[in-house]
């Protein structure tokens, strides 16, 4: 009886060890199919787009408030600019929605192609349709990457304009400057083409300019534009990672399809 019980114990221990090993191997196999590059790119893309869209939307509203209160007090003078800002805010809504869906699709495509590349599951096979879809994502990601390079450059323009105003205000307050007539220092927004030349007053000088720099709208908009520009840069980096991951997966899948064709003959 004792020998039988000992054999049962040994058998149960062996079964437990086998179960643990099989679970461990299954976990390793699942982790091997995770597209880490696409996962990092998705997190970075979501963060960058969220920063760009959220901060950009609020910064545009603050910019319009500053222009209406200090640079263009006649509504008809900046009516076109108001329409453009409202249009850009609607475009921001579309960008946020599109990239939320596109990031999820690219992440799902990364899971499937990674599993097919590493041949983790026998049911994941390369087909002509699958390779065409992967190629389409490669092409679309390249186009979006180029487009976001333009968005990144465009988002740096308001940062440059606000930085000029901020540096001018800082120079006026600096004791090293030793300025005798502060009213001669002006910032003319009309020279940037934001508002027409007939807009009144169109520029701010001296203490008026200093008051503008001390407003909460200016401080908030300036820093939000910086964050939005950083978010656009993060999105560009995310799309570059997407490009490398999708291009590599597409190339490997195409190479494997040639191998399959060769082994059939």
């Amino acid at each position: 009886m004792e020998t039988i019980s000992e054999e049962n114990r040994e058998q149960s221990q062996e079964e437990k060890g086998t179960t643990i090993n099989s679970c461990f191997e299954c976990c390793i196999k699942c982790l091997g199919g995770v597209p880490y590059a696409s996962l990092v790119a998705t997190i970075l893309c979501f963060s960058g787009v969220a920063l760009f869209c959220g901060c950009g939307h609020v910064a545009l509203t603050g910019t319009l408030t500053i222009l209406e209160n200090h640079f263009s007090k006649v509504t008809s003078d900046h009516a076109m600019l108001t329409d453009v800002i409202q249009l850009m805010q609607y475009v921001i809504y579309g960008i946020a929605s599109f990239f939320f869906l596109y990031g999820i699709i690219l992440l799902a495509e990364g899971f499937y192609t990674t599993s097919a590349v590493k041949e983790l599951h026998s049911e994941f096979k390369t087909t002509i349709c699958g390779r065409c879809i992967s190629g389409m994502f490669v092409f679309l990601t390249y186009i979006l990457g180029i487009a976001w390079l333009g968005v990144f450059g465009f988002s740096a323009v308001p940062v440059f304009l606000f930085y000029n105003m901020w540096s001018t205000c800082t120079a006026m307050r600096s004791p090293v400057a030793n300025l005798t007539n502060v009213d001669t220092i002006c910032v003319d927004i009309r020279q940037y083409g934001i508002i027409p030349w007939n807009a009144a007053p169109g520029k701010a000088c001296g203490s008026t300019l200093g008051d503008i720099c001390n407003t909460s709208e200016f401080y908030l908009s300036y820093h939000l534009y910086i964050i939005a520009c950083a978010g656009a840069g993060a999105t560009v980096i995310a799309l570059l990672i997407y490009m490398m991951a999708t291009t590599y997966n597409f190339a490997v899948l195409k190479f494997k399809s040639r191998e399959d064709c060769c082994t059939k003959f």
Side-chain angles (χ1 to χ4, degrees):
M1 295 293 292
E2 292 180 358
T3 55
I4 293 174
S5 61
E6 289 177 357
E7 290 177 358
N8 291 332
R9 289 176 183 175
E10 292 177 357
Q11 186 177 0
S12 62
Q13 289 178 356
E14 289 177 358
E15 291 177 353
K16 289 181 181 179
T18 305
T19 305
I20 293 173
N21 290 331
S22 62
C23 291
F24 180 75
E25 291 175 359
C26 183
C27 292
I28 295 299
K29 189 176 181 181
C30 292
L31 290 175
V34 175
Y36 293 103
S38 297
L39 185 62
V40 171
T42 302
I43 296 173
L44 191 60
C45 182
F46 284 173
S47 302
V49 171
L51 289 175
F52 174 79
C53 294
C55 297
H57 186 278
V58 179
L60 286 172
T61 304
T63 302
L64 186 60
T65 303
I66 293 173
L67 289 174
E68 291 177 345
N69 294 336
H70 302 285
F71 293 99
S72 181
K73 296 183 179 181
V74 180
T75 307
S76 59
D77 292 339
H78 58 271
M80 181 179 294
L81 179 63
T82 303
D83 295 336
V84 171
I85 289 178
Q86 290 178 353
L87 179 62
M88 291 175 65
Q89 289 177 336
Y90 285 119
V91 170
I92 284 175
Y93 295 144
I95 290 174
S97 303
F98 172 78
F99 271 91
F100 177 76
L101 295 175
Y102 190 69
I104 293 176
I105 292 173
L106 278 184
L107 183 61
E109 194 265 346
F111 272 101
Y112 283 111
T113 53
T114 302
S115 299
V117 165
K118 296 184 178 180
E119 297 179 348
L120 296 175
H121 304 285
S122 58
E123 62 269 17
F124 288 160
K125 297 294 184 180
T126 59
T127 61
I128 296 176
C129 181
R131 291 193 298 273
C132 290
I133 293 175
S134 297
M136 180 192 69
F137 280 122
V138 171
F139 175 76
L140 185 58
T141 306
Y142 270 89
I143 296 300
L144 290 174
I146 295 173
W148 267 96
L149 281 175
V151 172
F152 176 67
F154 179 76
S155 63
V157 174
V159 176
F160 172 73
L161 298 180
F162 273 79
Y163 174 76
N164 284 340
M165 290 184 62
W166 176 80
S167 60
T168 304
C169 293
T170 304
M172 288 192 305
R173 291 192 295 262
S174 177
V176 182
N178 194 15
L179 299 174
T180 56
N181 190 6
V182 182
D183 293 332
T184 57
I185 300 177
C186 301
V187 172
D188 195 343
I189 299 297
R190 296 171 296 184
Q191 64 181 343
Y192 299 113
I194 299 175
I195 55 178
W197 282 102
N198 58 354
K203 63 179 180 179
C205 303
S207 59
T208 304
L209 179 60
D211 294 336
I212 295 174
C213 293
N214 291 329
T215 58
S216 59
E217 290 86 3
F218 178 85
Y219 182 83
L220 182 63
S221 299
Y222 178 40
H223 289 84
L224 286 179
Y225 275 127
I226 295 175
I227 298 173
C229 184
T235 307
V236 171
I237 296 173
L239 289 173
L240 289 176
I241 298 175
Y242 274 137
M243 287 181 200
M244 292 185 288
T246 53
T247 304
Y248 172 78
N249 289 334
F250 175 74
V252 174
L253 290 177
K254 192 173 182 180
F255 179 75
K256 284 184 175 292
S257 65
R258 291 180 180 177
E259 282 187 344
D260 294 337
C261 293
C262 294
T263 53
K264 290 180 180 178
F265 298 99

